């Protein structure tokens, strides 16, 4: 397999701020092949843009790359001089930003701004530069490019400004384009046009692209591989098809649950409670633990390592630890055995029902001889923790109501054990039974 165009290896970035050391990136590793689009996704503040700026070595004040390498075409960009890095910016890799209005220089014409890049990176000046600038504006779909070359950014609409930004980025013929939320500020129609322009140019030029976005719709359209970031960590990586069919990390799954989709139009959108933890935190466990429904003790005390989650899919989560999976399998086997045992352990559940049976005798004749049994409920197990809701569903006549009545002993069960707060309901009588029925209605 040939070496990737870009290899990011264990990149860590720290920023010395008023509030302490911000660990903006912590051992981020990924690679991008020639011609590939790699999407970095995640919520605001999870480290996507910091990754992009670190690749360009455009660090914020107080920022320093403390570990790792950024290898572009075999050259480690963390080890070259600032003068060499200036040559890389624009030619080796270029970047386009979310807000073209603030990235373009308001007092220079579009032609002058593109001409500057052409002069620095390709040595083009005068007529040759003007012709190339016109060609670039035409490639990004700006009508009447000759006339528009002499215009200022304020004379362009939002979508057209973003096209100018793309033209400027392409002027240095970069091998890698980093696009940081390039369409977020645009309406959906213009967004589609700009994405189409970027994809077309990428195909024609065989350029690699890192697309930074929080928009999974954009990712689905243009990316081949996806990396999910959370709190300065890369936490999942997968090819697009795999990621959209089987997002593995609990955070990725929550990102999908929060998507507005047709079938949820009338329902509530899922939200991810809480927010990304401050990056001044010294993490001792999984960074997502406070917001994760699947978190358990291990998650709070041990940072998860990378584990395979499917074909070319890896995830940083204890749930995918093969040892943990084996443990979970044996735990569930134990649970099955425990469920078969009618004795209820001290599990902390408010209500536990084991092997509940309600059989009604079928009688016949004047002596009401029992000739058979209706097994209305036959060996039911359930448990409910305090504050939780358990839904018991099924057609009419399947035994749901009988279960409720048997738990309350409004019908005496034929077998099994029901424990309320650890106490066997069968042992209650008189005033205790009435008190129990008052607390369990
Ligand atoms: Fe959730 Fe634990 Fe996986 Fe972190 S390691 S995502 S807390 S299950």
């Amino acid at each position: 397999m040939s070496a990737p165009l870009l290899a990011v290896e264990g990149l860590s970035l720290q920023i010395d701020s008023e509030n302490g050391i911000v660990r903006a990136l912590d051992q981020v590793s990924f690679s991008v092949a020639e011609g590939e689009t790699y999407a970095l996704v995640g919520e605001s503040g999870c480290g996507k843009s910091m990754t992009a700026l670190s690749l360009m070595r455009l660090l914020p004040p107080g920022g320093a790359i403390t570990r790792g390498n950024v290898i572009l075409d075999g050259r480690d960009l963390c080890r070259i001089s600032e003068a060499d890095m200036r040559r890389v910016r624009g030619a080796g890799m270029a970047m386009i930003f979310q807000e073209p209005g603030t990235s373009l220089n308001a007092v220079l014409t579009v032609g002058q701004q593109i001409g500057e890049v052409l002069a620095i990176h390709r040595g083009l000046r005068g007529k040759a530069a003007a012709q190339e600038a016109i060609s670039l504006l035409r490639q990004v779909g700006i009508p009447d490019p000759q006339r528009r070359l002499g215009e200022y950014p304020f004379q362009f609409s939002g979508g057209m400004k973003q096209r100018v930004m793309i033209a400027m980025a392409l002027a240095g013929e970069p091998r890698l384009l980093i696009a940081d939320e390039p369409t977020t500020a645009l309406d959906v129609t213009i967004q589609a046009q700009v994405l189409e322009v970027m994809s077309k140019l990428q195909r024609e030029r065989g350029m690699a692209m890192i697309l930074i976005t929080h928009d999974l719709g954009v990712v689905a359209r243009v990316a081949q591989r996806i990396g999910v970031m959370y709190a300065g960590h890369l936490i999942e990586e997968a090819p697009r098809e795999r990621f959209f069919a089987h997002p593995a990390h609990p955070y990725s799954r929550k990102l999908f649950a929060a998507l507005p989709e047709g079938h949820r139009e009338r329902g509530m959108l899922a939200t991810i409670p809480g927010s990304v933890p401050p990056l001044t935190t010294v993490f001792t466990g999984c960074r997502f633990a406070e917001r994760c429904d699947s978190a358990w003790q291990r998650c709070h005390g041990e940072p998860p390592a990378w584990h395979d989650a499917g074909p070319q899919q890896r995830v940083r989560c204890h749930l995918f630890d093969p040892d943990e999976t084996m443990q979970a399998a044996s735990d569930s086997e134990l649970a099955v055995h425990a469920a078969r045992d009618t004795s209820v352990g001290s599990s902390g559940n408010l209500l536990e029902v084991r092997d509940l049976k309600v059989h009604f005798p079928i009688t016949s004749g004047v002596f009401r001889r029992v000739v058979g049994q209706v097994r209305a409920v036959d060996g039911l197990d359930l448990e409910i923790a305090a504050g939780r809701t358990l839904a018991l569903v099924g057609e009419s006549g399947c035994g749901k109501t009988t279960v409720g009545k048997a738990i309350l002993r409004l019908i005496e069960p034929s077998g099994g054990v029901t424990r309320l707060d650890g106490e066997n309901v069968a042992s209650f009588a008189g005033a205790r039974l009435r008190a129990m029925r008052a607390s369990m209605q």
Side-chain angles (χ1 to χ4, degrees):
M1 211 169 107
S2 59
L5 176 68
L6 176 80
V8 180
E9 301 168 343
L11 189 67
S12 299
L13 167 70
Q14 293 192 355
I15 304 165
D16 196 357
S17 77
E18 284 176 356
N19 301 323
I21 299 290
V22 177
R23 293 163 193 84
L25 299 177
D26 189 7
Q27 301 197 47
V28 172
S29 301
F30 64 94
S31 63
V32 187
E34 208 130 7
E36 182 183 41
T37 299
Y38 185 94
L40 271 180
V41 302
E43 285 169 281
S44 301
C46 65
K48 309 181 301 288
S49 296
M50 276 301 161
T51 304
L53 293 171
S54 300
L55 301 186
M56 297 285 280
R57 269 184 43 191
L58 296 171
L59 303 181
I65 291 174
T66 52
R67 273 179 75 166
N69 308 305
V70 176
I71 317 282
L72 181 71
D73 219 2
R75 197 173 177 209
D76 190 350
L77 303 186
C78 296
R79 311 277 173 273
I80 63 175
S81 67
E82 181 51 33
D84 284 344
M85 192 62 212
R86 273 199 293 272
R87 280 187 280 277
V88 171
R89 288 185 207 113
M93 57 181 160
M95 186 160 171
I96 51 177
F97 298 89
Q98 177 174 344
E99 249 315 328
T102 54
S103 307
L104 292 167
N105 190 329
V107 297
L108 293 179
T109 65
V110 159
Q112 285 169 320
Q113 295 185 58
I114 297 175
E116 209 169 74
V117 182
L118 290 170
I120 293 170
H121 293 294
R122 292 168 60 190
L124 295 178
R125 287 183 176 79
K127 205 170 164 195
Q131 271 172 354
E132 182 60 16
I134 290 168
S135 162
L136 283 164
L137 289 186
R138 190 171 291 123
Q139 285 175 52
V140 297
I142 293 183
D144 196 2
Q146 200 151 3
R147 179 176 61 81
R148 304 227 71 182
L149 213 54
E151 292 185 348
Y152 292 88
F154 76 88
Q155 293 171 289
F156 288 74
S157 66
M160 286 294 160
K161 272 194 229 146
Q162 195 56 291
R163 287 170 195 248
V164 171
M165 281 295 299
I166 297 170
M168 274 177 69
L170 297 180
E173 299 188 315
R175 302 193 56 200
L176 172 71
L177 180 67
I178 303 173
D180 187 359
E181 304 275 9
T183 56
T184 302
L186 307 175
D187 68 52
V188 279
T189 322
I190 306 300
Q191 182 184 75
Q193 291 171 6
V194 169
L195 285 175
E196 182 50 42
V197 166
M198 285 171 58
S199 299
K200 178 173 157 280
L201 293 171
Q202 187 197 11
R203 280 195 303 275
E204 287 170 4
R205 292 166 175 250
M207 188 174 61
M209 182 154 77
I210 296 177
L211 177 70
I212 291 172
T213 182
H214 63 275
D215 187 337
L216 289 177
V218 170
V219 172
R221 242 154 139 166
V222 296
Q224 276 110 41
R225 274 192 315 131
I226 290 134
V228 182
M229 289 200 76
Y230 187 78
H233 247 171
L234 196 67
I235 56 165
E236 178 165 3
E237 201 181 42
R240 175 183 56 192
E241 292 72 20
R242 175 77 196 168
F243 182 70
F244 279 86
H246 301 284
H249 196 281
Y251 176 62
S252 310
R253 295 207 294 264
K254 279 186 181 277
L255 288 180
F256 277 98
L259 277 183
E261 283 181 337
H263 66 273
R264 278 198 228 115
E265 260 168 17
R266 265 171 267 142
M268 296 278 285
L269 282 183
T271 56
I272 309 179
S275 52
V276 180
L279 296 179
T280 43
T281 313
V282 178
F283 295 100
T284 52
C286 173
R287 291 157 195 233
F288 190 55
E290 299 306 324
R291 304 170 80 187
C292 180
D293 299 333
S294 310
W296 74 102
Q297 205 179 359
R298 183 180 178 192
C299 304
H300 294 280
E302 184 189 333
W306 282 107
H307 300 290
D308 287 338
Q312 296 172 60
Q313 183 176 30
R314 59 183 190 133
V315 62
R316 218 191 257 265
C317 172
H318 290 314
L319 288 173
F320 294 83
D321 181 347
D323 294 341
E324 200 60 64
T325 314
M326 280 167 67
Q327 182 62 42
S330 68
D331 284 353
S332 71
E333 252 169 55
L334 285 174
V336 169
H337 290 307
R340 283 192 194 126
D341 184 353
T342 54
S343 66
V344 176
S346 55
S347 65
N349 285 315
L350 180 66
L351 179 76
E352 292 195 8
V353 177
R354 293 286 175 257
D355 202 25
L356 183 70
K357 292 185 176 121
V358 182
H359 295 178
F360 298 111
I362 304 168
T363 55
S364 173
V366 286
F367 297 110
R368 304 186 66 76
R369 199 162 50 88
V370 176
V371 294
Q373 298 277 336
V374 174
R375 296 169 190 269
V377 178
D378 199 19
L380 175 125
D381 301 309
L382 60 81
E383 62 265 341
I384 312 173
R388 303 308 298 253
T389 303
L390 179 122
L392 199 58
V393 298
E395 323 174 51
S396 300
C398 71
K400 307 182 297 292
T401 305
T402 310
V403 169
K405 287 180 176 173
I407 288 171
L408 281 161
R409 282 185 53 206
L410 295 172
I411 298 171
E412 280 303 330
S414 322
V417 174
T418 299
R419 285 187 190 270
L420 176 67
D421 230 353
E423 288 199 80
N424 190 343
V425 168
S427 67
F428 296 168
R432 279 191 78 208
L433 181 59
R434 284 194 295 280
M436 179 277 283
R437 285 194 182 133
S439 69
M440 184 164 65
Q441 301 259 340

